Amino acid sequence: MGVEGGAQPGPDGELRCPWGLSAEDYVAYHDGEWGRPVHGDDALYERLCLEAFQSGLSWLTILRRREGFRKAFAGFRIEEVAGFTPADEERLLGDTGIIRNRAKISATVANAKAAASLGEGALDSLIWSYAPDAERRPAPRTHTEIPAVTPESTALSKDLKKRGFRFVGPTTAYALMQACGLVNDHLADCWVRDEMRPGAG
């Protein structure tokens, strides 16, 4: 086993970050998605929006409604959501497949417009320009060593807000960086971190 509070063994004996074992839905997300590099404007837009919806809620709540969000927001295709009207926003307030929060729905549409205005490939380039040097970040041994905010996430948040994005505070920006592989916050003993190290496989 890892250090106290560190990676814990799952039913298959593999060591994982404790949160990845806290609910059945989390296992596949932890193993196959969280922390792995994500590229593409639409893919990053989706994750940015989902992190915004997660604000104040459990990520599990969002994860379990993910397909509902994708259906409601046209697969998170930026150009399509950018064309949503106030009537579309009102319609979405009645959609039980998503979190029906007026401010967050409005922000999702506004963020599509902001992303579209950047031009193709620009959202990807913008977000990834804030990825810190991985060599200068020691692997966390326990969850208490993982920050909620970093200088990079604060700078990314400020840049996104300047460009018209909403619900992109420094904490949300860091959650995005974690989820999309800009940083690797899998614990030192987690098998996923070992698989993701340069040259693995």
Side-chain angles (χ1 to χ4, degrees), residues 93-199:
L93 281 170
D95 190 332
T96 58
I98 66 172
I99 303 300
R100 292 174 288 175
N101 178 295
R102 183 181 294 275
K104 292 178 181 180
I105 289 171
S106 177
T108 301
V109 177
N111 289 349
K113 296 180 189 298
S117 72
L118 295 176
E120 185 176 354
L123 181 62
D124 186 307
S125 296
L126 171 65
I127 290 174
W128 275 92
S129 72
Y130 288 95
D133 181 357
E135 296 300 318
R136 300 180 64 180
R137 289 175 55 87
R141 302 291 298 177
T142 72
H143 70 89
T144 60
E145 297 177 14
I146 299 174
V149 173
T150 64
E152 293 87 0
S153 77
T154 300
L156 173 58
S157 169
K158 183 178 180 180
D159 199 347
L160 288 169
K161 287 180 179 179
K162 180 180 70 176
R163 297 169 191 272
F165 289 83
R166 305 180 195 169
F167 275 93
V168 288
T171 301
T172 295
Y174 191 65
L176 174 74
M177 293 170 74
Q178 291 176 302
C180 296
L182 280 76
V183 296
N184 182 358
D185 276 346
H186 284 281
L187 299 183
D189 293 333
C190 175
W191 79 265
V192 178
R193 185 181 189 93
D194 189 54
E195 180 184 90
M196 290 167 59
R197 76 184 190 282

Side-chain angles (χ1 to χ4, degrees), residues 66-80:
R66 193 172 190 178
E67 290 309 313
F69 277 110
R70 286 172 170 168
K71 182 178 179 181
F73 290 103
F76 288 102
R77 292 182 290 276
I78 291 170
E79 291 296 337
E80 291 192 39

